[in-house]
Each structure stands twice: as C-alpha cells, then as structure tokens.
C-alpha cells in the first residue's frame, strides 16, 4: 500500500507543478546563499590564515562552496522538469531519469545535513588550530626584518585591537616570549644583559605587552611595561587593581567570532535542507501523479500521487533485499574469476 496517497485532477496537478516550480527557483537562490556563505567564510579565514596552524580550516568553506554549486544545478534542473511536466510531450523525455534524479536528491539532502552538523562540530578542532597558530605567530612578532615574517607584527597588532584581546590565553603569554627585536636592544645596558642572562634560552623576556593590548577606555595611561612591578608605578597593585590591558585571550575572542559564523551558517544550511526536502517531496508527487493517470491519453483524468509506493517498512525491506542480492552477485563473480584463474 502506497504511503501518503493524494488524489489529483488536472487543476490540482497544474497547481502542484507550478508551486514546486516556484519552490525550486527559490531553492536555487538558497543554493546561491550557501555558496555565498562559503565564500564569505573562506575570505574571513584567509584574512588571518597566518594565525592558523594548518590549511584544514578551509575544509568547511570549500564544502559549503561545493554544496552551493551542486544545489544550484540540482534545483535548476528540478525546476525545468516541473515546468515541462505541464506538457506531456516535453515531460516524456525526463520521465526515464526521474527516479535516479530523486535518489540523487535524497543523497544530496543527507550530505546537506552532514554539512550543517560539520558547521557545529568543527568548532572543536578549530580551537586547537587557533591555539597553535597564535602561539607560533607570537614567536614571530619581533621578526620585522625577516622576509616572510615581517607582516606578523602588523597582523597581531591589528587583531588585538579589533578583537580587544591580548595574547593567546591571556596577556601573560607575552611574558614568556621575546617580542622585542634584538635590533632595538642596547646590549651594553646592564638591564638588557641581566634579562638575557636570566633564562637558559638567552631571550630578552619582560613583564610587558605590545601597545595593541592597551584598553583605550581605561582612564589611566596604559601600563604595558613592568606590569608586575608595583614600585615602578604610582598607586599601583597588579594583584588588586584592574589592569588597563585587555584581559581576554585572542584564542577565545577568535573562536567566539568564527564559532558564531559557523553556528549561523549551520542553522541556515539546516533551513536550506528543509527546503530541499520539500522540493524533493513535491517532485515525487508530480512524478507519481502523472504516472498513475486513469487514462494516460487524457490529461484531464484523475490520478493519485504518493510519497512511497509501499510502506516505510516494506520499502526498507526491499532495499535491504536488493543490497543482499548485489552482495551475493559480487561474491559469485569473485568465485567465478578465482575458478578461471585456477584452471589457467
């Protein structure tokens, strides 16, 4: 027994075809939206690609771009089929390939769901990519004269200003690396010698942060050097006083920004998936309502449209039986080839 049977006359079939045709072209716009979101996300990632540890972060936008392009093609084809369904002579050429097309559409809808889920779960590996990328980027902050790295200082400063953050996890990350180039250090000065000699790596470490960490909203002039030395500043206690540098780490700030983008894209892709499922169901009803005409030569005769030719359980049983038959057929062919090889 068919599932979700609906009776149609000519007027209802025409209205159905026109509605699904309109939905398909709306779905084309949805495909363009997915494509645009993928391009936007890719551009946003490229802006700060040097702060990310690998190129795997571009996997998701590439998938979105591909899915958007495929959606545009599928929906344009589906719209054409619905338009031609109003003319029996034109619809006849599409009829043999419709079942294959509908199966392809169902597979594509499943991939859309997977893409939406990726948008939500990719946040987890993305935070590790950011953490390692920021850690390496901060090490190169001082290399303003090194080809290939001279841009890193500008990139990090602009990022910290834009996202109101400081360091990787927090501002203290700058205390653990040398972020001032040797070019600007006076190695004859006692302070410089003492700081370099105080650690095994021979780096000039200090309890200070770059100017881009300063919070311009603070009423006090920015204290970015000797931040842990209370005696170096008047009426200052770094344990109790609110620092006038950004406390938030840049990894958390960037993860919040990109995570928000991914969550928004994921929600929109789910909405697009619902639209794709709707047009797939609509095309199935268009196909079955034309296939079950009481009198195929009379387009005004009544017909029945249905979602599935059998119940869900029977359909699932048939699919499993076909898969088992295909598996047995493959084994028989392998056995035949082995027999021929043995005889040879």
């Amino acid at each position: 027994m068919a599932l979700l049977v609906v009776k149609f006359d000519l007027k209802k079939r025409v209205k159905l075809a026109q509605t699904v045709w309109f939905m398909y072209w709306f779905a084309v716009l949805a495909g363009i939206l997915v494509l645009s979101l993928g391009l936007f996300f890719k551009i946003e990632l490229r802006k700060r690609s040097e702060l990310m540890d690998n190129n795997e972060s571009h996997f998701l936008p590439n998938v979105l771009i591909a899915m958007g392009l495929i959606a545009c093609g599928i929906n344009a084809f589906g719209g054409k089929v619905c338009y031609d369904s109003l003319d029996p002579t034109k619809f006849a050429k599409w009829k043999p390939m419709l079942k294959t097309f509908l199966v392809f559409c169902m597979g594509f809808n499943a991939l859309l769901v997977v893409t939406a889920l990726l948008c939500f779960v990719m946040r987890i590996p993305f935070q590790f990519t950011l953490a390692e990328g920021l850690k390496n980027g901060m090490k190169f902050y001082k290399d303003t004269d090194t080809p290939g790295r001279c841009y890193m200082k500008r990139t990090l400063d602009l990022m910290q200003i834009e996202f109101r953050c400081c360091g990787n996890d927090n501002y203290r990350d700058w205390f653990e690396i040398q972020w001032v180039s040797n070019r600007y250090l006076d190695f004859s000065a006692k302070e410089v010698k003492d700081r370099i000699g105080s650690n095994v790596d021979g780096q000039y470490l200090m309890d200070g942060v770059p100017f881009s960490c300063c919070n311009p909203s603070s009423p006090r002039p920015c204290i970015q050097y000797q931040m842990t030395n209370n005696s170096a500043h008047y009426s200052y206690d770094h344990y109790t006083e609110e620092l006038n540098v950004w406390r938030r780490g840049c990894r958390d700030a960037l993860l919040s920004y990109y995570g928000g983008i991914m969550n928004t894209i994921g929600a929109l892709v789910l909405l697009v998936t619902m639209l794709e499922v709707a047009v797939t169901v609509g095309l199935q009803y268009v196909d079955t309502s034309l296939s079950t005409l009481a009198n195929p030569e009379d387009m005004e005769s009544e017909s029945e449209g249905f979602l599935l030719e059998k119940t869900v359980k029977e359909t699932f049983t048939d699919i499993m039986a076909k898969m088992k038959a295909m598996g047995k057929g493959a084994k028989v062919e392998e056995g035949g080839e082995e027999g021929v090889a043995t005889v040879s």
Side-chain angles (χ1 to χ4, degrees):
M1 183 179 176
L3 181 67
L4 298 178
V5 178
V6 179
K7 292 188 178 293
F8 290 93
D9 54 20
L10 177 60
K11 186 178 179 180
K12 286 184 177 180
R13 282 196 300 271
V14 170
K15 189 175 181 179
L16 173 67
Q18 290 175 339
T19 302
V20 178
W21 174 83
F22 176 79
M23 291 174 63
Y24 259 119
W25 288 109
F26 190 72
V28 170
L29 296 178
I32 295 173
L33 174 64
V34 174
L35 172 63
S36 301
L37 290 171
L39 290 172
F40 167 75
F41 192 29
K42 192 174 185 69
I43 291 170
E44 286 299 302
L45 288 173
R46 281 193 175 277
K47 285 180 181 178
R48 302 169 190 90
S49 58
E50 60 270 15
L51 299 177
M52 297 176 194
D53 186 43
N54 53 50
N55 293 322
E56 293 176 5
S57 54
H58 291 273
F59 171 74
L60 182 57
N62 290 338
V63 169
L64 288 167
I65 291 169
M67 297 300 283
L69 289 171
I70 295 172
C72 290
I74 286 177
N75 294 319
F77 179 80
K80 174 63 176 173
V81 172
C82 285
Y83 182 80
D84 287 348
S85 67
L86 299 173
D87 186 340
T89 56
K90 291 183 179 179
F91 183 71
K93 65 181 178 181
W94 303 120
K95 183 63 181 173
M97 64 180 74
L98 264 186
K99 283 189 177 180
T100 303
F101 177 69
L102 286 168
V103 171
F104 181 79
C105 287
M106 287 188 288
F108 176 72
N109 293 341
L111 287 176
L112 274 177
V113 174
V114 173
T115 303
L117 293 177
L118 280 175
C119 291
F120 296 116
V121 302
M122 283 296 285
R123 181 189 180 100
I124 299 171
F126 190 69
Q127 65 179 330
F128 297 108
T129 296
L130 280 175
E132 195 62 29
L134 284 168
K135 182 179 178 181
N136 294 331
M138 289 171 65
K139 290 178 182 177
F140 303 142
Y141 181 88
K142 68 181 187 302
D143 297 339
T144 52
D145 298 327
T146 305
R149 298 178 185 173
C150 55
Y151 58 85
M152 190 58 72
K153 178 183 181 300
R154 179 177 181 274
T155 299
L156 282 167
D157 282 334
L158 289 175
M159 177 199 66
Q160 292 190 144
I161 292 171
E162 180 182 355
F163 288 94
R164 299 184 176 187
C165 60
C166 186
N168 191 342
D169 293 316
N170 55 61
Y171 67 93
R172 288 183 174 274
D173 293 330
W174 289 107
F175 298 177
E176 300 172 3
I177 61 171
Q178 178 180 335
W179 53 272
V180 178
S181 173
N182 289 338
R183 179 182 179 184
Y184 306 108
L185 296 176
D186 181 6
F187 286 92
S188 63
K190 183 178 182 303
E191 180 190 357
V192 174
K193 290 180 179 179
D194 290 344
R195 286 188 179 276
I196 292 176
S198 64
N199 67 90
V200 294
D201 295 326
Q203 294 184 333
Y204 180 75
L205 304 181
M206 59 179 178
D207 53 345
V209 296
F211 77 96
S212 53
C213 283
C214 293
N215 180 357
S217 300
S218 174
R220 180 169 187 160
C222 186
I223 297 176
Q224 64 181 107
Y225 297 110
Q226 295 185 321
M227 295 177 64
T228 59
N229 185 359
N230 293 336
S231 62
H233 311 283
Y234 175 73
S235 183
Y236 175 75
D237 185 351
H238 76 280
Y239 287 112
T240 59
E241 185 169 336
E242 183 177 353
L243 297 175
N244 50 10
V245 297
W246 302 118
R247 289 179 172 273
R248 189 183 192 186
C250 290
R251 179 181 62 173
D252 181 56
L254 287 173
L255 185 62
S256 177
Y257 174 69
Y258 285 116
I261 292 177
M262 287 189 282
N263 289 341
T264 301
I265 292 175
L268 289 172
V269 172
L270 283 177
L271 291 175
V272 171
T273 304
M274 292 170 64
L275 178 60
E276 292 291 343
V277 171
V279 293
T280 302
V281 170
L283 184 60
Q284 168 70 358
Y285 274 103
V286 170
D287 180 30
T288 53
S289 65
L290 289 171
S291 302
T292 58
L293 284 170
N295 183 3
E297 295 180 0
D298 181 12
M299 290 299 294
E300 295 187 5
S301 60
E302 292 189 348
S303 62
E304 290 184 346
F306 47 81
L307 185 60
L308 292 174
E309 192 173 357
K310 300 178 181 179
T311 62
V312 174
K313 183 178 180 180
E314 290 172 340
T315 302
F316 180 75
T317 303
D318 288 348
I319 292 173
M320 294 302 295
K322 288 178 181 179
M323 290 177 67
K324 287 180 180 179
M326 290 173 63
K328 289 180 180 179
K331 288 182 180 179
V332 170
E333 288 181 2
E334 288 178 4
E337 289 177 359
E338 290 177 1
V340 171
T342 304
V343 172
S344 300

